[in-house]
Amino acid sequence: MEKNIFQRIIDREIPATIEYEDDEIIAIRDIAPSAPIHVLIIPKRAITSINSTDESDVETIGRVFLVARDLAKSFGISESGYRVVTNINSDGGQTVPHLHFHLLGGQPLGRMNSTHASGHGTGSPYRGTLREAGILILCAIGLAIGFNMMNSKSISWVKKEYDKVTATSNDLNKYLTSPANSPSTTTPSTPTTPNTAVPVESEDSKKTDPATTAAAKPAPVQEKPSFVAEPGVVKEITYDQFSRLMASAPYYLIDARGAEKYAEGHIGNATNFYGAEAQARIPDMLANVPRDRVILIYCDGGECELSHHVADVLKQFGYGPIFIFTGGWAEWKTKH
Ligand code: 5GP
């Protein structure tokens, strides 16, 4: 029988951000969080859901709640409050057939209202109108769900705020290598070359960054590789920084725009990886791209929501450093 995704994470076949682990339980960050804190607490034994538990699971399931308690404390949400839930089968909304408990918190989660609707109203004159409004809202939600199910470019339900950090020249220098040493490549299967960092100066960084100005003197070539993968690091870069990375670091380039825009034109050998589809396509990517590869992402430019979405998903799989070229296709086009 094919392993489910959580079994593969437990067996270390697929990466995840692990928050807790012992012999019986693992707790990982949810890949598509529904709240600022969203951790999945998973008993390692292959139990499909609460339906398949028996007396021998009592202790493990009891311990799940102690793990939830301790994680909530470590995330600082014990006092503000949180929720621990498990979904069972289709009406319960279970998508992964391996028993797991969602620990959610970090924002008010609202009440878990009953969906029971009283059909026969008396009294309030507004009840009929409210019911009609409710039906309209349900229709709209139904249409949106339908659209999301039918359409690969699904609408995200909640607009996520991303941390936007700008890369400094120092950040970049760690990944710049001499071109002779390590040719740029976007071929996923190429193993990552150990890099020898040679700080590279550019016109703009000479003006703005004293650290790089210091590097204007002949830089001592380091004998040992200085490349250190930085899982989870996502930083925004300028056109100049993007060009420097492309010229001298092994990288994997992602175009996070839709397929039509990509087909009209894209940068170099970029792989098209539409933002909203990132989660579904991540296993393909993982199969080919070394985890310590520098990832460069761009979209149309500006807010870069699509790029940040892709970066966020890659980050959860342990990729990094990830650089987002904020000028995107719009700026690239004007310069090429
Ligand atoms: P369920 O819907 O079964 O109650 O919850 C399954 C959860 O697993 C969902 O919240 C989903 O986002 C999360 N999930 C699905 N695939 C992965 C994965 O590959 N990694 C991680 N960390 N979470 C996942």
Side-chain angles (χ1 to χ4, degrees), residues 5-6 9 28-31 40 87 93-96 100 102:
I5 196 94
F6 293 162
I9 287 172
I28 59 168
R29 287 274 183 169
D30 195 291
I31 199 167
L40 302 168
N87 297 325
Q94 183 176 11
T95 56
V96 180
H100 56 280
H102 299 255

Side-chain angles (χ1 to χ4, degrees), residues 190-305:
T190 307
T192 303
T193 319
N195 302 322
T196 303
V198 179
V200 175
E201 61 175 321
S202 73
E203 286 310 310
D204 78 344
S205 61
K206 263 194 277 183
K207 280 177 222 142
T208 55
D209 191 334
T212 312
T213 310
K217 294 172 197 141
V221 176
Q222 296 170 18
E223 283 177 8
K224 285 190 185 148
S226 69
F227 179 84
V228 182
E230 288 191 285
V233 169
V234 179
K235 294 197 172 160
E236 295 190 338
I237 52 173
T238 62
Y239 172 81
D240 177 63
Q241 293 173 318
F242 180 63
S243 307
R244 288 162 64 200
L245 278 169
M246 285 183 65
S248 59
Y251 63 87
Y252 187 80
L253 180 60
I254 294 174
D255 180 319
R257 300 172 303 151
E260 299 95 47
K261 287 190 175 178
Y262 174 83
E264 282 166 20
H266 55 267
I267 303 175
N269 293 332
T271 302
N272 186 212
F273 195 66
Y274 179 62
E277 292 165 356
Q279 197 178 333
R281 290 192 54 202
I282 200 83
D284 300 348
M285 297 279 291
L286 285 170
N288 296 321
V289 184
R291 204 70 51 74
D292 57 356
R293 177 62 46 92
V294 169
I295 309 264
L296 305 176
I297 312 180
Y298 70 93
C299 47
D300 280 323
E303 284 297 302
C304 301
E305 291 297 316

Side-chain angles (χ1 to χ4, degrees), residues 151-223:
N151 197 321
S152 59
K153 295 173 189 175
S154 55
I155 301 164
S156 60
W157 298 102
V158 181
K159 189 173 188 301
K160 197 171 167 184
E161 291 299 324
Y162 296 102
D163 286 341
K164 295 187 175 171
V165 183
T166 307
T168 64
S169 296
N170 276 342
D171 283 331
L172 243 64
N173 286 341
K174 285 191 268 184
Y175 307 110
L176 294 169
T177 62
S178 82
N181 234 352
S182 180
S184 302
T185 177
T186 57
T187 308
S189 55
T190 307
T192 303
T193 319
N195 302 322
T196 303
V198 179
V200 175
E201 61 175 321
S202 73
E203 286 310 310
D204 78 344
S205 61
K206 263 194 277 183
K207 280 177 222 142
T208 55
D209 191 334
T212 312
T213 310
K217 294 172 197 141
V221 176
Q222 296 170 18
E223 283 177 8

Side-chain angles (χ1 to χ4, degrees), residues 12 16 18 56 65 118 131 163 187 233 245 269 292 306 310 314 322:
R12 297 294 195 276
I18 298 173
S56 67
F65 285 88
S118 77
R131 196 164 47 232
D163 286 341
T187 308
V233 169
L245 278 169
N269 293 332
D292 57 356
L306 289 173
V310 173
L314 288 172
I322 301 166

